[in-house]
Amino acid sequence: MWRVFGLMQSVVEFDNVGLRYGTGAETLTDLSFTLYPGSFYFLTGASGAGKTSLLKLLYLAHRPSRGAIRMFGHDAITLPRDRLPGFRRRIGVVFQDFRLVPHLSTFDNIALPLRIAGIQEKDLKSPVTEMLDWIGLTERADARPATLSGGEQQRVAIARAVIGRPEMLVADEPTGNVDPEMARRLLQLFAALNKLGTTVVVATHDIHLLQEIQGAQMMRLDKGRLSDPTGSLRHPPRPLVLKN
Amino acid sequence: MLLDFALPAHDRKLIPEGRLSGPMPWVIAIMLFLTILIAAMGLSLAYAIRDGGNDLAQQATVQIIEPDPIERATQKVAVSRLLREIPQIDSVNSVPDGEVRNLLKPWLGNDVIDADIPVPALIDIRFKNAPDGATVRALKLRLEEAAPKIRIDSHSSWMAPFFDLMSSLILLTLAIFMLLLVATSAVVILAVRSTLNTHRSTIEIMHMMGGTDLQAARLFQRRVALDALLGGVVGFGAAAAVILTLGGRIAAVEPALLADATLPWYGWLILAIIPLAVMCLAMLMARWTVVSALKKML
Ligand SMILES: Nc1ncnc2c1ncn2[C@@H]1O[C@H](COP(=O)(O)OP(=O)(O)O)[C@@H](O)[C@H]1O
Ligand SMILES: [Mg+2]
């Protein structure tokens, strides 16, 4: 199957976006880029460069201080608050600190997005079981997050983010707590989701990961600014043809 | 949908339900126990003085203090006839002399009564509505034409201090009731806030995954309502046990001075509304607290 990116509608468009926490200096400055459906992006940069802040804009946890953001073809700045839940359900998020619900079992944590979306109980057993198998935690289906290791919690967080087959997946340092072998497995999971059409954005400072995904693009943040040496983020080569 | 108990089981898991584990149901139970008791007291007193009191206040006794027995008898007949013609008077009951003597026996002793000392002629009357002082005075003037030495004792006049006391007590119970309701509301509000703090992260996670404000509010509200309901049931049960026990003791008191101070059936309805009202308040507070907390998030 051949995909022609240049003819596709964008998933996300940032235009001169700035983000300022409180009254300090801007944490993110002059961000302009476009994310296309089915693409895979790595967001890199030193600690404190603003990766998490940029992802928060992507998963609609924050509104920018200035600039324009379009998401799924809608102006995300002026979107009324009551339409945000519908947009959030199209985005899967792996939080840097996992944010699992402490009193829910592994199974119930992974099933959470499906339940929020109103999926019937009979229809969610098989995808959740399948996902548990993928992340190798079938045995721990009934365990609470507190009894899982850091790496296991991270896998649960990732499973929860991808279970709903989101149109966009945003992951903040998703392989920070797992061994290299598991990191590769998790990236394969992202890649598989990406093949199904999900736009993936992975923030990481692990350079080795970048080689794992063929055709992935790199976004580099430096002190809140996006360095775009090739200009491909602002002006992607079009038509860009990628073989799946 | 305020009373949304029909949540699927898996939704209920998101915010674990206390089942009398936390302090909130117990505190609500204690507050409701006190609130219901004081409400029952107020209701019983109000009921006693409205029904019993009205009854007494409608009655009066006419005395003809005439030493000559023949004259007294004719005056009694004349006064009775006059009384029967007055439209404000509902019933006239001429008390036979023998009964009057019996009434006086305990006070004056058998010997005195058996001797032929004069006793007043008594006529019990009942007004259609409790009479005021002016009515009684006008009646007296009118009756004096037939019997110059006449006295009218309206029961409301000697009962007045008793009713004043009762009214003060009712006002006091009302004030305590209101204070307890305010305190209960405060407890509910504090409990809702602390529950929100406990579950804030869960609510935030749901929010970030596209849960709506209403989904979160419904979960939360259900949990809080269950807590309040459990507290309400316990508080109501304990208060009902006390009320029934006390009611039995009151009924056993002789003479039946307090016979009317028991709770009428509709009083129980009012008491049952109190825990339900507190539950609704808790749910509304829960909904409002969650929605306003979520409104601060994007
Ligand atoms: N909620 C916040 N309030 C104030 N400053 C923040 C907040 N979140 C992040 N920052 C600041 O913004 C900068 C970028 O942080 P972050 O986006 O977490 O970077 P990274 O994820 O690349 O390590 C840091 O200097 C951090 O202190
Ligand atoms: Mg970060």
Side-chain angles (χ1 to χ4, degrees):
Chain A
M1 182 188 160
W2 299 85
R3 249 193 223 144
V4 182
F5 283 168
L7 301 178
M8 286 192 178
Q9 207 190 20
S10 66
V11 176
V12 176
E13 275 174 55
F14 273 44
D15 187 19
N16 258 309
V17 169
L19 175 67
R20 187 193 300 277
Y21 291 111
T23 53
E26 275 194 329
T27 298
L28 297 174
T29 308
D30 293 338
L31 299 185
S32 297
F33 61 86
T34 304
L35 305 182
Y36 286 94
S39 310
F40 200 118
Y41 301 89
F42 280 112
L43 178 62
T44 65
S47 175
K51 301 184 292 297
T52 300
S53 302
L54 172 50
L55 295 190
K56 277 182 182 165
L57 293 179
L58 285 178
Y59 61 72
L60 298 169
H62 268 300
R63 283 201 158 130
S65 319
R66 61 183 177 88
I69 298 180
R70 285 183 75 75
M71 201 168 273
F72 304 123
H74 293 266
D75 182 348
I77 311 286
T78 57
L79 205 62
R81 195 178 166 279
D82 61 353
R83 288 197 58 198
L84 288 174
F87 277 71
R88 291 195 178 109
R89 288 179 194 186
R90 299 163 74 174
I91 305 169
V93 186
V94 183
F95 300 97
Q96 197 164 6
D97 51 357
F98 318 144
R99 301 221 199 154
L100 302 177
V101 180
H103 53 262
L104 290 188
S105 67
T106 300
F107 185 99
D108 289 328
N109 262 295
I110 294 174
L112 192 56
L114 301 181
R115 285 171 171 161
I116 286 173
I119 306 284
Q120 293 295 305
E121 210 59 12
K122 60 178 166 55
D123 298 327
L124 57 75
K125 194 157 175 63
S126 100
V128 175
T129 311
E130 198 179 317
M131 191 58 68
L132 278 167
D133 193 36
W134 239 104
I135 59 171
L137 288 178
T138 307
E139 247 85 281
R140 311 300 316 268
D142 296 322
R144 301 282 148 118
T147 67
L148 299 177
S149 73
E152 286 170 334
Q153 290 182 34
Q154 193 151 35
R155 276 134 73 190
V156 176
I158 289 168
R160 187 181 67 180
V162 302
I163 184 102
R165 289 225 188 140
E167 287 166 59
M168 177 164 73
L169 177 76
V170 174
D172 201 351
E173 314 265 5
T175 56
N177 286 278
V178 296
D179 57 71
E181 170 56 28
M182 183 48 76
R184 236 190 326 275
R185 270 180 67 83
L186 292 176
L187 272 185
Q188 278 171 32
L189 185 63
F190 291 164
L193 200 66
N194 179 241
K195 283 214 175 71
L196 293 170
T198 297
T199 305
V200 179
V201 182
V202 177
T204 183
H205 53 249
D206 185 355
I207 312 293
H208 300 294
L209 287 181
L210 307 189
Q211 303 150 6
E212 295 288 333
I213 306 289
Q214 292 295 309
Q217 298 190 57
M218 194 180 84
M219 300 163 79
R220 197 181 152 70
L221 267 178
D222 190 15
K223 295 196 181 99
R225 288 177 184 274
L226 207 53
S227 53
D228 182 14
T230 61
S232 66
L233 287 168
R234 205 185 296 243
H235 309 288
R238 63 179 71 185
L240 174 81
V241 181
L242 190 80
K243 193 183 173 189
N244 276 347
Chain B
M1 275 183 296
L2 193 61
L3 283 161
D4 211 336
F5 278 143
L7 281 179
H10 65 256
D11 276 2
R12 292 183 204 158
K13 271 195 256 171
L14 287 176
I15 292 178
E17 279 157 6
R19 303 231 177 279
L20 287 178
S21 58
M24 165 152 164
W26 293 112
V27 176
I28 288 184
I30 293 169
M31 297 304 291
L32 278 175
F33 171 71
L34 296 174
T35 311
I36 291 168
L37 268 193
I38 208 76
M41 253 175 79
L43 281 170
S44 305
L45 287 179
Y47 182 64
I49 72 163
R50 205 187 60 197
D51 270 34
N54 237 357
D55 203 47
L56 274 173
Q58 281 169 345
Q59 296 175 37
T61 307
V62 178
Q63 291 184 46
I64 301 162
I65 309 154
E66 168 57 55
D68 175 33
I70 311 285
E71 179 63 11
R72 192 165 68 227
T74 36
Q75 283 184 8
K76 190 178 180 186
V77 173
V79 167
S80 298
R81 194 172 334 106
L82 261 179
L83 285 169
R84 273 183 241 279
E85 284 165 8
I86 295 171
Q88 294 100 307
I89 292 177
D90 202 29
S91 69
V92 177
N93 178 28
S94 179
V95 184
D97 278 359
E99 211 173 292
V100 178
R101 281 172 193 280
N102 279 341
L103 276 173
L104 290 173
K105 248 182 213 166
W107 310 97
L108 301 177
N110 283 351
D111 300 348
V112 180
I113 291 297
D114 287 344
D116 227 10
I117 70 144
V119 293
L122 293 191
I123 305 166
D124 284 337
I125 56 175
R126 173 189 286 277
F127 291 88
K128 283 184 177 136
N129 299 303
D132 55 13
T135 313
V136 175
R137 276 193 298 278
L139 181 66
K140 183 164 185 277
L141 275 179
R142 198 156 162 205
L143 296 181
E144 274 170 348
E145 293 166 13
K149 291 175 192 156
I150 201 157
R151 257 185 77 172
I152 302 176
D153 290 323
S154 95
H155 292 194
S156 55
S157 63
W158 67 264
M159 290 289 286
F162 175 72
F163 286 124
D164 286 349
L165 171 66
M166 289 303 214
S167 306
S168 308
L169 283 179
I170 289 169
L171 282 179
L172 181 66
T173 54
L174 190 68
I176 297 175
F177 175 75
M178 298 304 253
L179 287 175
L180 281 172
L181 270 194
V182 170
T184 308
S185 311
V187 165
V188 166
I189 290 168
L190 290 177
V192 166
R193 291 223 180 114
S194 88
T195 311
L196 176 68
N197 281 336
T198 317
H199 297 290
R200 185 178 289 275
S201 65
T202 304
I203 288 172
E204 276 173 11
I205 292 164
M206 282 182 67
H207 178 73
M208 283 328 304
M209 290 182 168
T212 60
D213 293 359
L214 225 69
Q215 275 179 316
R218 227 183 292 158
L219 279 178
F220 195 69
Q221 161 182 317
R222 184 177 185 283
R223 192 222 135 109
V224 167
L226 273 180
D227 275 5
L229 185 66
L230 286 169
V233 166
V234 172
F236 184 84
V242 170
I243 293 165
L244 288 175
T245 312
L246 271 185
R249 301 262 156 97
I250 286 170
V253 171
E254 287 287 349
L257 255 184
L258 297 165
D260 286 317
T262 47
L263 201 57
W265 64 270
Y266 54 82
W268 286 102
L269 275 188
I270 296 174
L271 294 187
I273 288 171
I274 295 172
L276 292 178
V278 167
M279 189 183 88
C280 289
L281 171 82
M283 289 177 83
L284 283 174
M285 272 307 305
R287 168 171 292 233
W288 181 80
T289 311
V290 173
V291 169
S292 55
L294 285 170
K295 282 270 187 292
K296 286 187 198 127
M297 299 178 211
L298 180 61

